[in-house]
Amino acid sequence: MTESEWLILSLIGPTRKNIAPLACAVDLLAFILFVQNTPPDDVYISKHIYPDVARQLGKSLGATARSIERLANFCWAHGDPDVLLRVIGRPCSGLYTPKHILFFLAFYRHFGIAFYHFVNTLSTCTSRAFRPCVCHPAHAWHRASQTA
């Protein structure tokens, strides 16, 4: 079982739902963001994620997209609030899209910290120059993606 699958199961608990498409999407998004150093604004879920996940799982694009979106919405509606708070970093207010949960899970999977904790430490970082930062190891990724 992959780290993404464990993360999703910790969020929604034991289930008979197929979590493979969402877990594969989280893994692929983490690869695109943190290995290929693609800026988050340049990643289009329907263009970069869904087709590759469908190809990996041997399913149609439409079925894969629906599966990911339904499970992402299920995570928002029925996920453990404590785990959501740990992954996101602040209380969930409002309705998020499936794209949001993919990004939140990918950041948590890669860095091991909540998305908004990463953003807050970045805003308080004293090292504004594009050089190695001792504040947090995730900041080096942020600067690398800005210069790309």
Side-chain angles (χ1 to χ4, degrees):
M1 191 172 286
T2 67
E3 189 176 336
S4 296
E5 289 172 329
W6 279 112
L7 183 58
I8 294 165
L9 286 176
S10 72
L11 181 61
I12 62 174
T15 183
R16 294 185 62 179
K17 296 181 182 305
N18 184 8
I19 64 169
L22 182 60
C24 188
V26 169
D27 289 337
L28 181 59
L29 181 59
F31 177 79
I32 289 171
L33 290 173
F34 309 118
V35 175
Q36 293 181 345
N37 288 324
T38 304
D41 292 340
D42 292 344
V43 177
Y44 297 98
I45 301 299
S46 59
K47 182 179 177 183
H48 298 117
I49 304 295
Y50 293 163
D52 287 344
V53 172
R55 201 172 307 114
Q56 287 179 10
L57 298 177
K59 294 184 174 187
S60 72
L61 178 60
T64 303
R66 280 191 307 274
S67 177
I68 293 170
E69 290 168 2
R70 286 178 181 158
L71 191 56
N73 289 333
F74 183 83
C75 289
W76 287 127
H78 304 289
D80 183 351
D82 294 332
V83 177
L84 277 173
L85 182 63
R86 191 175 72 220
V87 168
I88 297 170
R90 68 179 185 192
C92 302
S93 60
L95 184 63
Y96 291 100
T97 65
K99 178 180 179 176
H100 287 109
I101 192 125
L102 284 173
F103 274 90
F104 294 151
L105 291 172
F107 267 83
Y108 189 82
R109 179 196 169 281
H110 186 76
F111 294 122
I113 61 171
F115 176 79
Y116 285 108
H117 290 166
F118 169 79
V119 171
N120 290 340
T121 59
L122 189 62
S123 67
T124 59
C125 178
T126 58
S127 177
R128 293 291 179 207
F130 291 119
R131 54 187 159 77
C133 175
V134 295
C135 298
H136 197 277
H139 296 180
W141 165 82
H142 177 73
R143 283 189 295 285
S145 69
Q146 283 184 341
T147 59

